Every structure is written in C-alpha cells, then in structure tokens.
Amino acid sequence: MLVVLHLPPKGTSVLPQILERAGPLRAVQAEDGMPVDGGTIYVAPPGAHLLVANGTLHLDGGPRTNGHRPAIDPLFRAAARAYGPEAAGVVLSGVLDDGTAGLMAIKQAGGLTLVQDPAEALYEMMPRNAIEIVAPDHIATSSDLGELLGRLANGSPPTAFDGPHLVRDDHLV
C-alpha cells in the first residue's frame, strides 16, 4: 500500500508511526529503490513524489503537481502503468483536486477506484471532485473503505463488498 499525504517539503512526517500503531501492517517512509513488499505501507516522504515501477519505489523531486510534492496524481498514474487492472486508488479528505486525474488513469487501466464519502470528509473538495469527474467504483466512509481494502488485500474480489457504496448516477445505492 502506497500513501501520499500533502506535507510541506521541509516538514517531518510521523505518519508511518501513526499507521503502524493503528493496525497490523508494517509502515515505513518510502526510500528510493525500495522493493515493494506485500503487507507493508509505504508513505511518501515530504518533498518528493512517490512513484512505483517494476515492483520498486522511486522518489522524484521534480516539479510540484497540483501545488504539492508529494502529490497523489503522479503516484496514481505510475500505479496505473505498473499494475493496470490490479491497481486501486483511494481519494480521501482534502482540498482542490489532487488525485482526480490519477484516479481517472487507474480507472482507464481497469483498476479499482474508491473515494471517501464527502459528507464524512473533513475537507470535501478532493472527494467531491473525484466523484464528479471519475465516477468511482465505490464511495464509502473511511471505515468502510478500510474494510474493503482489507478484503481486497486478502484476495476477495471487489464484488464481495456488500455495502451500499456503489455509485450509480451520482447517488449511493
């Protein structure tokens, strides 16, 4: 699992420690050249885009995307190229529209697209933009998204998710 959180370039991230305490998965700050191992959460470091190719993590200090580095769109586009229909992208709370274009790339590659319910999000703009532009496969609370991702990680197909979260005509069913 690869995670991007918008942080100032000189900031300090304690997200790996928070995630490690929150669940059973190992969480680490991503480093350039790290192999991707199952059962590990890789968090983008401040000041670098997190990318993936050929089962390896890459850090990119290139231009900001959507005003951020790290940004979500570069990661999602890289995941779509690397994993195609096996990729999954999740957009959570945030402002502006980072994640929308990348989520569309995942959808076009046949991957799974998930978005936090804007009504639950602290900042609804990123989820709302992703819903309006991408028409994601699932919209759900963060808790339900976590449950769905857990099922997927254990090999259950996306159709095994039996909650009222499939988008049809911009309404929850």
Side-chain angles (χ1 to χ4, degrees):
M1 185 175 299
L2 310 176
V3 177
V4 170
L5 176 66
H6 296 151
L7 292 169
K10 303 270 188 218
T12 301
S13 176
V14 294
L15 187 57
Q17 293 88 342
I18 292 169
L19 292 173
E20 192 148 297
R21 283 194 314 260
L25 298 180
R26 180 175 158 247
V28 299
Q29 184 167 291
E31 296 177 11
D32 195 52
M34 261 185 174
V36 177
D37 293 323
T40 301
I41 301 170
Y42 299 94
V43 178
H49 295 301
L50 177 59
L51 308 175
V52 62
N54 301 318
T56 302
L57 299 177
H58 302 280
L59 300 181
D60 178 15
R64 294 174 183 265
T65 302
N66 300 314
H68 299 283
R69 187 181 54 236
I72 303 161
D73 281 334
L75 172 59
F76 282 176
R77 285 192 296 265
R81 283 189 304 271
Y83 298 105
E86 294 181 356
V90 181
V91 172
L92 300 173
S93 177
V95 297
L96 301 177
D97 63 355
D98 189 26
T100 298
L103 200 64
M104 181 62 81
I106 289 175
K107 184 175 188 114
Q108 290 172 340
L112 186 65
T113 56
L114 306 104
V115 176
Q116 182 181 18
D117 183 344
E120 180 207 41
L122 183 59
Y123 301 101
E124 69 177 43
M125 192 179 293
M126 277 176 46
R128 190 160 303 287
N129 283 325
I131 291 166
E132 289 175 11
I133 302 298
V134 178
D137 300 306
H138 295 277
I139 300 171
T141 64
S142 56
S143 176
D144 285 345
L145 289 173
E147 180 183 331
L148 173 56
L149 290 171
R151 288 183 188 184
L152 293 172
N154 287 323
S156 297
T159 55
F161 190 59
D162 54 2
H165 310 295
L166 187 62
V167 176
R168 298 211 195 260
D169 300 325
D170 292 308
H171 298 288
L172 297 179
V173 184

